Amino acid sequence: MTVPAHTARIAVSDLPSALAAVRERGLRLSCARRIVLEALYEADGPLTAEEIARSGRCDLASVYRNVEALETAGLVRHLHVGHGPGLYLPAAAAVELIVCERCGARADVDPRVTADVRAAVQAATGFTPHFDHFPLAGLCPRCAYDRQEG
Amino acid sequence: MTVPAHTARIAVSDLPSALAAVRERGLRLSCARRIVLEALYEADGPLTAEEIARSGRCDLASVYRNVEALETAGLVRHLHVGHGPGLYLPAAAAVELIVCERCGARADVDPRVTADVRAAVQAATGFTPHFDHFPLAGLCPRCAYDRQEG
């Protein structure tokens, strides 16, 4: 995760196009790169490096090395969730999340809502908030309830 | 920063009250604890452990140990800014920030704006966003301009 968050991203929407894009960029399509891309395109949401390694029976160091190479190539991006490890996903995935600080539960945020938030914060501060690298953090309904009761 | 983000916070608004609160809780008011509290109450905004150490000519390990003890006691809290080190501030400080992912510039966000954002995200997802532990991240006007031009 030493790759800048705003590397130009390649918009490929499926695994075959992602594999083709690796070759088109003159990168070697190693076994580990194929495993990383397969895991990310088949997942329902962002994955940790450990999850990628487990899914492909690939060693963790190799996963880290290859997500970084694929991120530099613009095919993968990462986001940060609370105190936990980084999460990886296809670069073009338009995922905007809110993550529970307590239990790690995640929910998608409707792009219309994030667009409104962006506009309100920009009008107030001049800064443009992004939610794709550092998602919104907070409490899920259950943890908010537990906290109120506790 | 292994302290849970939602330790009960003690609302003391100035340094003398904070020093008194340390004693009232039966904690020793060591030289290092005094240095940490002085630095945080005199600062214009959140400080890194390095900045606290520099301000009080105190060693860094001692700063880390004592911000943690003061956080457990409810007098100090921390927040996370981008990929950078944690930042510390008095627990009661009602600071809500947006931080530039590129250059680290910070701006306060009006509490009325964060209240609106909280309501909109809660209505859409059921989750309650908090901005006091993981502040909003984005681009400051200058970095947004540079990115557009570059």
Side-chain angles (χ1 to χ4, degrees):
Chain A
M1 283 186 292
T2 52
V3 178
H6 296 293
T7 309
R9 294 176 186 163
I10 305 175
V12 287
S13 58
D14 56 31
L15 179 61
S17 317
L19 298 175
V22 172
R23 286 197 207 89
E24 279 158 22
R25 294 179 79 84
L27 294 172
R28 201 166 62 82
L29 185 52
S30 63
C31 188
R33 285 180 192 159
R34 183 184 289 270
I35 284 171
V36 167
L37 289 171
E38 275 177 6
L40 297 183
Y41 276 92
E42 283 165 11
D44 286 333
L47 298 179
T48 63
E50 274 87 358
E51 288 167 337
I52 298 170
R54 262 202 306 278
S55 81
R57 292 180 294 282
C58 186
D59 70 289
L60 193 57
S62 166
V63 168
Y64 276 116
R65 211 168 41 242
N66 284 287
V67 287
E68 193 159 316
L70 290 167
E71 190 158 7
T72 304
L75 283 158
V76 166
R77 66 183 176 95
H78 72 267
L79 49 84
H80 299 274
V81 165
H83 289 145
L87 295 175
Y88 298 91
L89 67 170
V95 172
E96 295 194 306
L97 296 169
I98 180 159
V99 183
C100 181
E101 282 183 13
R102 281 206 166 176
C103 73
R106 305 174 206 160
D108 287 323
V109 186
D110 187 314
R112 285 167 298 187
V113 174
T114 47
D116 286 350
V117 169
R118 222 176 329 265
V121 173
Q122 196 167 27
T125 66
F127 283 51
T128 314
H130 292 297
F131 307 107
D132 54 351
H133 184 205
F134 294 99
L136 286 165
L139 290 177
C140 72
R142 177 185 298 241
C143 289
Y145 177 83
D146 288 351
R147 193 180 163 199
Q148 231 162 13
E149 295 299 297
Chain B
M1 283 187 291
T2 52
V3 179
H6 296 292
T7 308
R9 294 174 187 167
I10 305 175
V12 287
S13 58
D14 55 30
L15 179 62
S17 319
L19 298 175
V22 171
R23 286 198 208 87
E24 279 159 22
R25 295 180 78 85
L27 293 173
R28 201 166 61 83
L29 185 52
S30 64
C31 187
R33 284 180 191 159
R34 184 184 287 273
I35 284 170
V36 167
L37 289 171
E38 276 177 8
L40 296 183
Y41 275 92
E42 283 166 10
D44 287 334
L47 298 178
T48 63
E50 274 86 0
E51 287 167 337
I52 298 171
R54 260 201 307 277
S55 81
R57 292 180 296 281
C58 187
D59 71 289
L60 192 58
S62 167
V63 169
Y64 275 117
R65 210 168 42 244
N66 284 288
V67 287
E68 193 159 317
L70 290 167
E71 190 158 10
T72 303
L75 284 158
V76 166
R77 64 181 176 95
H78 72 268
L79 49 84
H80 300 274
V81 165
H83 290 145
L87 295 175
Y88 298 92
L89 69 171
V95 172
E96 295 194 305
L97 297 169
I98 181 160
V99 183
C100 181
E101 284 182 13
R102 282 208 166 175
C103 73
R106 306 174 206 160
D108 287 322
V109 186
D110 187 315
R112 285 168 297 187
V113 174
T114 47
D116 287 350
V117 169
R118 220 175 332 263
V121 173
Q122 197 166 25
T125 65
F127 283 50
T128 316
H130 293 297
F131 307 108
D132 54 351
H133 184 205
F134 293 99
L136 286 165
L139 290 178
C140 71
R142 179 186 299 239
C143 288
Y145 177 82
D146 287 351
R147 195 181 160 197
Q148 232 163 13
E149 295 299 298

